[in-house]
Amino acid sequence: MAGIEKKKVSLTGKQYLMVWFESLGWTGVMVMGYFFSTYNALIGDTFGYDVGQMANLIAIMSFTGAIGNFAGGFLADLIKIKVNMTIAYAGLVACGVIVLMMPGYGIMKLLAIAVSVFGLGFYTIPTMRYVASLGTREQESKLYGMFYGLSALDAMVIAPITSKVINNSGSYAGLRVIIIFFCALMVISWVLHMVWIEPNIKENASMQVTGQKFNIKEVGGVIKNVNFWFFLIICVFTVLPYDLNTFVQPLLASEFGASQSVIQFVATYANNGTALILAPLAGTIALKLGSTCRTIMFSFIGALVSSAALLILPWEHKFFAVAVVIIFVLRGVFSIGKPMRNTLLGESRLPKRYRGTALGLMNFVVGLQSTIVAKGAGALTGAYGTNKGFHILYTIAFFLFIAGLLLAVVFTRKLTKAKEQDVRNGGAPEELMV
């Protein structure tokens, strides 16, 4: 029996190659599509923006991203994946070129809208569906885990080069290297997709697209389902570590006295080093535990510990190394939760016909949350200064992580009892996602 299960879950060499080639484009899109949060401190330093101005750009980007995520489901249904990818890659490369021309703050606001439209509206949802289609339902957590892990590995290549360039030539030179590198990754991935992946995926009959369409008529049924609210709120809390890490960069600069080259090195390896190890591991852990929700529950414990440690730690330069360790742990929590959001829906016991609608609603709400956190961070640091403002932000997050943990515990128990009932009944209801 174990041998059969392994056969179902293990990925083939061909699947690994497909996932890696697709991950190159995802890496470029995640950097350019989340440009203002990924390189918060570097952009602020290059253009002379303060924390409030950067928070405003991030809020604009996040709000547009929420709408883009929502619309992405419709676009994925209407437009072929290769067309979505082409529009997204071309648009983001154009945005990168405009940034290199050093535009004013008004143009940057428009770019904050544009990167989200291209990155999230045209790319994210179609690509996540496509990655799931590269294997079976049993392989889904491994596919997502490897996809995120390989994307992290792609991004880590540039970190030491960027830090050296910033040290030698300044922030603008470092930003230029970043934009050129990640735009090149998108172009390479696009060529590989068109030349090799598209023809191969059509030939493999076992690789079926798993994402159903968003259906506005199903929204009422979805929001009346208690399990949807568990799924939605837990997913929202899994994104909170990412929102907090967005403001780690200015925090390290203002409170710990770190240089831009050091901040970019730490941010890149915290973001991508944890994803490289923990994203694939999260899928394996979920398979071993037999529960995605239980895996997320343990990640919330890590979030609680790291946020409490950061609040207790004196914010002084001599404690910089300790702060970095805490930041790695906090980012690691997000690296575990990110692939788990996609698979949590698959065990939520929602009706299968709700899958696309529930996923679209979740992505929309998650984007709104990031907007609120960005605006809140800007308001808090503007009203109380960076030290007190960030302390308030992380204190609020600490209590939200407690709420997330409690919800994950309750939902895990709820799902476990339902599975036990399925065993007594001789099987799960065919119409539910389990």
Side-chain angles (χ1 to χ4, degrees):
M1 191 71 179
I4 295 173
E5 184 65 24
K6 186 175 181 181
K7 185 177 180 181
K8 287 182 180 178
V9 173
S10 297
L11 303 181
T12 66
K14 190 174 184 179
Q15 285 175 306
Y16 277 116
L17 271 179
M18 287 182 172
V19 170
W20 179 41
F21 291 162
E22 295 292 3
S23 78
L24 296 174
W26 180 270
T27 304
V29 171
M30 288 303 100
V31 168
M32 297 305 300
Y34 289 93
F35 187 61
F36 296 98
S37 56
T38 304
Y39 292 101
N40 185 345
L42 183 61
I43 295 169
D45 188 63
T46 301
F47 289 89
Y49 300 151
D50 60 28
V51 174
Q53 287 175 304
M54 284 305 303
N56 192 40
L57 289 174
I58 293 167
I60 293 170
M61 181 188 72
S62 299
F63 181 73
T64 309
I67 299 171
N69 264 327
F70 191 69
F74 294 102
L75 292 173
D77 297 333
L78 296 172
I79 306 174
K80 291 182 178 180
I81 181 67
K82 62 182 179 182
V83 178
N84 274 309
M85 282 184 174
T86 302
I87 294 171
Y89 293 161
L92 289 171
V93 169
C95 288
V97 171
I98 295 172
V99 171
L100 293 177
M101 300 168 90
M102 298 290 286
Y105 191 67
I107 299 298
M108 292 296 267
K109 288 180 180 178
L110 294 177
L111 286 174
I113 295 171
V115 293
S116 282
V117 168
F118 291 120
L120 301 182
F122 283 96
Y123 183 82
T124 307
I125 301 298
T127 302
M128 292 315 300
R129 289 188 185 183
Y130 199 76
V131 170
S133 78
L134 296 177
T136 64
R137 170 68 184 89
E138 291 79 10
Q139 292 175 319
E140 197 169 309
S141 61
K142 275 213 165 188
L143 283 166
Y144 284 132
M146 290 306 304
F147 182 69
Y148 289 128
L150 289 169
S151 297
L153 181 62
D154 302 335
M156 287 172 66
V157 172
I158 197 65
I161 299 171
T162 303
S163 293
K164 188 172 182 179
V165 170
I166 292 172
N167 268 334
N168 294 337
S169 306
S171 296
Y172 172 72
L175 192 63
R176 183 174 58 195
V177 169
I178 288 166
I179 291 172
I180 292 171
F181 176 78
F182 288 108
C183 287
L185 285 187
M186 287 186 279
V187 173
I188 293 169
S189 182
W190 180 82
V191 171
L192 290 169
H193 179 90
M194 296 297 182
V195 173
W196 187 68
I197 298 177
E198 275 276 320
N200 273 283
I201 196 76
K202 290 175 183 176
E203 293 169 5
N204 192 335
S206 68
M207 295 180 179
Q208 302 297 323
V209 176
T210 61
Q212 285 84 13
K213 296 181 179 181
F214 182 93
N215 188 343
I216 195 70
K217 295 178 181 179
E218 301 281 14
V219 171
V222 171
I223 63 176
K224 289 177 183 176
N225 192 302
V226 174
N227 281 15
F228 169 72
W229 290 102
F230 276 106
F231 161 73
L232 177 66
I233 299 172
I234 289 171
C235 285
V236 164
F237 287 140
T238 64
V239 181
L240 187 56
Y242 167 81
D243 295 325
L244 294 177
N245 267 281
T246 296
F247 294 96
V248 157
Q249 295 180 35
L251 174 67
L252 292 178
S254 65
E255 306 308 312
F256 292 91
S259 66
Q260 281 303 317
S261 60
V262 171
I263 289 172
Q264 295 314 310
F265 189 86
V266 169
T268 300
Y269 276 87
N271 293 352
N272 300 296
T274 57
L276 175 63
I277 297 169
L278 295 176
L281 187 61
T284 302
I285 293 171
L287 287 169
K288 294 289 184 183
L289 294 176
S291 169
T292 298
C293 197
R294 189 173 287 113
T295 307
I296 292 174
M297 186 174 69
F298 288 123
S299 76
F300 282 142
I301 295 172
L304 273 172
V305 172
S306 56
S307 55
L310 192 60
L311 286 168
I312 294 169
L313 182 75
W315 289 5
E316 302 172 16
H317 181 69
K318 63 182 178 181
F319 294 106
F320 174 73
V322 181
V324 168
V325 172
I326 295 170
I327 288 163
F328 266 79
V329 174
L330 186 60
R331 179 64 194 201
V333 169
F334 174 72
S335 296
I336 291 173
K338 187 173 183 179
M340 292 298 96
R341 289 198 300 276
N342 297 293
T343 51
L344 179 61
L345 180 59
E347 68 174 41
S348 64
R349 301 186 72 84
L350 282 166
K352 291 177 181 177
R353 70 180 186 277
Y354 289 165
R355 182 182 177 91
T357 306
L359 194 60
L361 290 172
M362 183 272 287
N363 285 319
F364 177 67
V365 173
V366 162
L368 289 181
Q369 170 204 306
S370 296
T371 305
I372 293 168
V373 173
K375 293 297 288 185
L380 288 171
T381 54
Y384 301 104
T386 53
N387 188 293
K388 188 175 180 180
F390 283 132
H391 268 101
I392 295 172
L393 181 67
Y394 279 86
T395 301
I396 294 170
F398 174 79
F399 287 105
L400 290 176
F401 286 135
I402 292 176
L405 175 60
L406 293 174
L407 279 172
V409 170
V410 173
F411 197 36
T412 299
R413 290 179 177 176
K414 190 173 188 292
L415 295 176
T416 301
K417 287 181 180 179
K419 287 181 181 179
E420 291 170 353
Q421 185 62 47
D422 289 340
V423 172
R424 289 191 290 270
N425 293 341
E430 184 65 29
E431 72 276 9
L432 298 182
M433 290 184 282
V434 293

